[in-house]
Amino acid sequence: MSPGVPEDSMHDQAAAYQPSRQAYSRAAPRYNVPPRALVSVEHICVIKNVERAIETLGGAAELQQLLKDEGKSTVARLYLHPGDRMCNPIISNNVSTNNILIQVTVPKRTGRKRKRGALEPYLDTVDDQPQLPNRTTLTPKDSQYLLDSMSVNIGKYHIRPVGSIEQTHRFRSMPDFVWSTTNSPFMQKMREHIYPLDYEKVKNFKLDMSKGPKRNVDLIPPPSFTHLSIPFNYAYRQNPAVKRTVDASGNVTTFNTQTANKILTQLVSYDVEAIPMGPTDDLEPIDTLEPVIQDLIRMLRKLLDERPLWTRRAISNRLIVPGREWSNIAKRVYQYAGYMFRSGPWRDAVVRFGVDPRTDPKYRVYQTMMFQIDDKELEKLEKSKGGGRRVRGKAKNRNSHLFNGKTVELDGKVWQVCDIVDPLLKSLLDTTNLRDECDIKTDGWYHNGTWAKVRVIMKAKLAKILAGEGAPKDKDYEKIAGLPEIIDKDTRHLAILSNNKLATAQEVQLASDVRTIASAPWRIPWTGEGDGVRRSKNEVEMGDAGANQEFNIDPRLAQTMQEIERRGHLGFDANVVVGDRDEEMDYDGLDGSGNSDDDIEGDELAEEDDD
């Protein structure tokens, strides 16, 4: 395109710059470029209809706008759906170029043929039969046609420069999405009344102001759907650890050289009928393992003979591997020596094959308690010790699995009853008042009140130590320790300290937490009673009086129960206790929640690796 220059004048000026070929018979011909600035628009479509191509660029008026200042300060707009106002145009990139537009004239091809080198007249032939010329047949004139025509018409074609192209409009951005509004009643009104810009038609434009719900509401599309104009480079590439190999059948397969060995630690649910009696058959034979692994398996089996259940942290404190990181090899050792419970009173403890702690009260001393430790609390504890974050490789405290009520090591979050040496907690756990049948879901062999008191007091002491407030004092928890060991409809009122004027606010709150944990409805499997309402066995034992004011039920407990039941969280498989949500915490690489029965292949099984 050239601004304001007639086509005939362009031919005349080009002829003036056409040099004589005889003047340069021995050199390449020279041509003078007319001083005419042109603007180039690189259309993204294959142009077959010039008029429609101009419409996609906004019409002749838009093109004239491009030529006003030689295209230096404007952009071109390309409409893929001309006439559709809801179709956003593609904006061009106006770049400076230094190109020359050349017109090449070659002899017109007639379509007639003759044998190469022959002097016979040209004939229009089909299957070697002479035919009359067909003037309606169009020969495509693309770049390849032009090159072929110039090669067979040496000395017969003409070249003339038309002008220099200093500005070029290129469309490199992605088009926006288009919402079809063909069947939209609202957009139809817009086209009829607003788009013509006729005042009389605009006055007739009305909106539906009726109230109430409407069917088939017309959705108006947004002005634009995406703000991304350049395709995102995802930089796809193959994983460098993936290699190709040829199997025995000659097929090419791929494998990942960094894939970890499959861990087959047996994890069972709290209500499993039969416990594992030995390792699975698909494990590698022990004699094929590394010598250090074989030694550790023998050492772990010896530990389990001394004590049938161990926490992983206690095992790591007993087994020393010189020059090796225990957390990296522990997961390969556990699967040969014992199994683990996913949930329940013995959750996360390594249990010797063939031992079922649910069958004998003597295994109560191996029950586990888990508490959530916040990273912020960990940082506070490390700062209070005069250091920053924990550093791997430092000297390990071999008694970190013990809880003495004064200090705490945060290389794990699980403690066993036999590892709690705090005098107050130990006195509560040494009780002889035990259950006749094991509560395999939550409390194990202890009564609900005993287990709730121990959990609440221990959690309060942990929080006080982590807060840097010094060693907790047992006298602050004497009233909590004196609460009933069995909390039911007859003893619940004895677990309320809000009426005790000598009780502090902290003691009242801790007592409320004890009642909340001890009275959790999912602690005992559901049973059905008379009116069809779902009730827990606890509720049946407490009777309707359990909700009466004479027993002073904490209103927050009732509200919490109602909210959880409304949300549908009172399923039989729940293991979280209201007011003590840490019991269901997922940690140490265990895949999924603690109650999940899914296989945990790839479980890191490294409690001590909590950095």
Side-chain angles (χ1 to χ4, degrees):
M1 294 181 293
S2 177
V5 180
E7 186 67 21
D8 295 340
S9 177
M10 293 172 59
H11 285 281
D12 295 340
Q13 294 182 18
Y17 289 96
Q18 178 70 39
S20 173
R21 291 183 179 271
Q22 296 179 357
Y24 309 102
S25 58
R26 295 185 180 181
R30 295 185 178 182
Y31 300 91
N32 295 325
V33 180
R36 181 187 302 110
L38 304 177
V39 178
S40 174
V41 178
E42 296 181 359
H43 206 289
I44 64 175
C45 301
V46 178
I47 305 301
K48 294 184 178 180
N49 189 317
V50 178
E51 294 181 357
R52 295 192 61 184
I54 294 176
E55 291 180 3
T56 60
L57 294 173
E62 291 286 344
L63 295 181
Q64 290 295 332
Q65 185 66 27
L66 292 178
L67 302 176
K68 281 186 177 181
D69 53 359
E70 299 180 356
K72 295 182 179 180
S73 62
T74 58
V75 295
R77 293 175 173 80
L78 177 61
Y79 299 87
L80 297 180
H81 294 270
D84 188 355
R85 300 287 185 94
M86 305 306 296
C87 176
N88 294 325
I90 306 176
I91 306 301
S92 68
N93 295 328
N94 190 359
V95 296
S96 299
T97 55
N98 190 19
N99 301 329
I100 298 176
L101 179 62
I102 297 177
Q103 180 182 18
V104 180
T105 304
V106 297
K108 185 177 182 181
R109 178 176 292 180
T110 61
R112 296 180 295 172
K113 298 180 180 180
R114 70 176 179 183
K115 292 183 179 179
R116 189 180 301 276
L119 299 177
E120 292 83 2
Y122 287 95
L123 298 175
D124 294 308
T125 60
V126 176
D127 297 333
D128 296 332
Q129 298 295 326
Q131 298 289 334
L132 295 176
N134 185 2
R135 301 300 182 185
T136 61
T137 302
L138 298 178
T139 303
K141 296 180 176 59
D142 54 10
S143 58
Q144 187 61 41
Y145 168 83
L146 180 61
L147 292 175
D148 293 342
S149 179
M150 293 174 64
S151 64
V152 299
N153 292 283
I154 299 177
K156 298 180 181 179
Y157 59 85
H158 301 280
I159 297 177
R160 70 179 182 87
V162 178
S164 61
I165 303 176
E166 299 179 356
Q167 298 293 325
T168 301
H169 292 269
R170 295 169 180 169
F171 300 96
R172 295 293 185 265
S173 60
M174 296 189 301
D176 193 8
F177 298 97
V178 179
W179 181 296
S180 178
T181 58
T182 304
N183 299 323
S184 172
F186 178 81
M187 292 307 301
Q188 186 64 28
K189 291 181 180 180
M190 291 285 293
R191 297 188 189 96
E192 294 177 357
H193 300 90
I194 304 300
Y195 290 170
L197 301 179
D198 188 340
Y199 178 70
E200 295 298 331
K201 292 183 178 180
V202 171
K203 290 195 303 182
N204 295 328
F205 181 77
K206 303 295 182 181
L207 294 175
D208 185 6
M209 305 300 293
S210 59
K211 299 180 180 179
K214 302 178 180 63
R215 294 182 177 272
N216 301 324
V217 178
D218 191 10
L219 297 178
I220 308 303
S224 62
F225 287 91
T226 178
H227 63 280
L228 299 177
S229 59
I230 300 177
F232 183 78
N233 183 15
Y234 290 93
Y236 289 116
R237 62 183 181 89
Q238 180 59 276
N239 183 355
V242 175
K243 306 297 181 182
R244 291 188 177 185
T245 184
V246 180
D247 58 14
S249 303
N251 300 322
V252 178
T253 59
T254 59
F255 68 97
N256 194 329
T257 58
Q258 296 181 353
T259 301
N261 295 330
K262 191 174 184 180
I263 305 301
L264 301 174
T265 303
Q266 300 183 65
L267 292 103
V268 300
S269 60
Y270 65 90
D271 57 351
V272 66
E273 295 182 1
I275 53 126
M277 303 301 294
T280 57
D281 297 334
D282 49 356
L283 285 177
E284 299 180 36
I286 297 180
D287 54 4
T288 63
L289 302 174
E290 302 175 42
V292 64
I293 302 297
Q294 297 182 32
D295 294 340
L296 288 174
I297 293 175
R298 286 191 291 267
M299 295 170 63
L300 180 57
R301 287 179 173 178
K302 185 178 180 180
L303 287 179
L304 290 173
D305 290 337
E306 299 174 2
R307 170 173 149 183
L309 289 89
W310 291 77
T311 60
R312 295 179 292 178
R313 178 168 48 166
I315 293 175
S316 66
N317 288 338
R318 291 290 300 272
L319 299 183
I320 303 177
V321 188
R324 297 289 295 272
E325 182 69 27
W326 167 253
S327 60
N328 296 334
I329 58 178
K331 55 187 178 182
R332 301 180 58 188
V333 177
Y334 295 143
Q335 55 190 347
Y336 288 93
Y339 70 97
M340 300 175 67
F341 282 96
R342 298 177 186 273
S343 57
W346 294 273
R347 176 185 174 181
D348 200 60
V350 180
V351 188
R352 187 177 68 206
F353 286 126
V355 174
D356 189 351
R358 303 169 298 179
T359 59
D360 197 317
K362 66 180 181 180
Y363 295 115
R364 69 185 184 278
V365 296
Y366 305 118
Q367 291 182 209
T368 61
M369 285 182 286
M370 181 183 302
F371 300 93
Q372 182 179 6
I373 306 299
D374 191 3
D375 290 339
K376 295 181 179 180
E377 296 176 345
L378 174 61
E379 293 177 359
K380 291 180 181 178
L381 179 63
E382 296 298 334
K383 290 180 180 179
S384 65
K385 294 181 178 180
R389 295 284 294 176
R390 287 179 296 163
V391 181
R392 290 182 182 274
K394 74 173 185 178
K396 181 176 177 60
N397 181 5
R398 296 298 172 182
N399 293 321
S400 62
H401 59 288
L402 303 178
F403 180 74
N404 57 13
K406 299 178 181 179
T407 60
V408 61
E409 291 288 338
L410 296 182
D411 54 351
K413 306 168 185 177
V414 180
W415 284 268
Q416 279 183 292
V417 170
C418 59
D419 293 332
I420 298 177
V421 295
D422 176 77
L424 178 61
L425 296 176
K426 186 173 177 58
S427 64
L428 295 175
L429 294 170
D430 288 342
T431 179
T432 58
N433 186 7
L434 304 175
R435 289 177 177 268
D436 296 330
E437 295 182 0
C438 178
D439 177 16
I440 62 176
K441 181 77 172 179
T442 306
D443 299 330
W445 291 102
Y446 290 98
H447 287 292
N448 60 344
T450 303
W451 196 243
K453 290 189 298 181
V454 172
R455 286 194 61 89
V456 169
I457 294 175
M458 185 170 177
K459 187 173 183 179
K461 287 192 172 185
L462 283 171
K464 190 176 183 63
I465 296 173
L466 294 176
E469 300 176 1
K473 298 179 181 180
D474 290 346
K475 66 178 183 179
D476 296 336
Y477 308 99
E478 291 178 353
K479 291 184 177 61
I480 305 302
L483 298 180
E485 293 187 339
I486 301 176
I487 298 179
D488 54 15
K489 66 176 183 178
D490 297 325
T491 61
R492 181 177 176 80
H493 64 285
L494 300 176
I496 299 175
L497 298 181
S498 58
N499 297 328
N500 189 339
K501 296 182 179 179
L502 300 179
T504 63
Q506 179 186 6
E507 291 173 334
V508 172
Q509 178 60 45
L510 294 179
S512 175
D513 295 340
V514 171
R515 297 194 306 274
T516 301
I517 297 175
S519 304
W522 49 79
R523 184 172 300 275
I524 299 177
W526 291 101
T527 60
E529 289 294 331
D531 56 0
V533 178
R534 298 180 66 193
R535 300 177 185 271
S536 67
K537 189 174 180 181
N538 261 7
E539 292 174 321
V540 174
E541 292 176 353
M542 290 186 180
D544 295 335
N548 197 293
Q549 289 295 330
E550 66 182 10
F551 291 102
N552 296 322
I553 292 181
D554 188 356
R556 290 176 298 175
L557 171 64
Q559 183 178 3
T560 303
M561 297 299 183
Q562 293 174 359
E563 178 64 17
I564 295 179
E565 186 173 9
R566 182 183 65 81
R567 296 183 180 181
H569 291 172
L570 297 186
F572 177 75
D573 289 337
N575 193 36
V576 182
V577 180
V578 177
D580 193 19
R581 299 181 182 177
D582 304 335
E583 187 167 340
E584 188 56 25
M585 183 190 65
D586 180 28
Y587 72 104
D588 286 346
L590 290 177
D591 185 12
S593 63
N595 271 346
S596 172
D597 292 333
D598 298 334
D599 190 12
I600 309 183
E601 298 177 359
D603 177 14
E604 292 299 332
L605 296 177
E607 180 190 71
E608 57 275 316
D609 188 17
D610 287 330
D611 294 333

